[in-house]
Amino acid sequence: MTIQGCLLCDVVSGARKLPIVLETDRISAIGASIEALSAGHCVVFPKRHASSLHEVDDADLAEILPAIKRVARAMGIGSYNVLQNNGAVAGQTVFHAHVHLIPKSSAEDGLRRMVDTHRHVDHGVIFETIRARLG
Ligand SMILES: [Zn+2]
């Protein structure tokens, strides 16, 4: 299923032309030529529309990390970040779930580390709640 007006659905339908570097029946990997954080920045996404990672079909998800691995190997890179944002507050700007592969050739290139360790939060309570909800 594709959504009209969705950038990545438009890539899937062919309405929008971005450089496709890898494609299977379930996923596509494209060059992030619009807002690339480094040379070779790619985006891997399911062809079936889902806004966030937790809405993506499991079989589609199962192809995304192997696709990132294949693309990274094809680029011959050893340093890179894999980034996945969900929700506007988390930095998602295209609301079709996708995973970034961002090559990093230097400390100044690509994704930069943000440091805020949240030591003031009681993480134990949070993790215990999650574990209880997962049963
Ligand atoms: Zn979409």
Side-chain angles (χ1 to χ4, degrees):
M1 180 174 110
T2 58
I3 301 292
Q4 191 169 12
C6 170
L7 171 70
L8 296 180
C9 285
D10 285 350
V11 171
V12 172
S13 72
R16 181 145 187 160
K17 303 293 182 199
L18 290 175
I20 296 173
V21 297
L22 176 67
E23 186 172 22
T24 72
D25 289 343
R26 291 184 171 274
I27 63 97
S28 286
I30 60 171
S33 54
I34 298 172
E35 294 184 10
L37 295 179
S38 66
H41 180 165
C42 290
V43 172
V44 182
F45 59 95
K47 289 182 172 178
R48 191 178 334 192
H49 183 89
S51 296
S52 296
L53 181 74
H54 61 272
E55 297 169 339
V56 176
D57 181 88
D58 284 352
D60 294 345
L61 276 179
E63 290 199 16
I64 290 177
L65 283 178
I68 289 171
K69 176 180 169 182
R70 289 180 64 195
V71 173
R73 282 187 171 181
M75 285 195 279
I77 56 175
S79 296
Y80 56 92
N81 294 99
V82 175
L83 174 69
Q84 205 279 320
N85 302 321
N86 297 284
V89 173
Q92 186 177 15
T93 58
V94 173
F95 294 90
H96 179 131
H98 56 284
V99 181
H100 297 264
L101 167 58
I102 308 166
K104 191 154 182 75
S105 62
S106 70
E108 296 77 33
D109 193 31
L111 193 66
R112 298 195 187 159
R113 186 172 179 204
M114 296 171 285
V115 179
D116 184 355
T117 56
H118 278 72
R119 290 191 176 120
H120 62 283
V121 175
D122 184 353
H123 296 283
V125 170
I126 295 169
F127 299 145
E128 188 57 41
T129 301
I130 295 168
R131 188 173 27 244
R133 287 180 181 170
L134 290 173

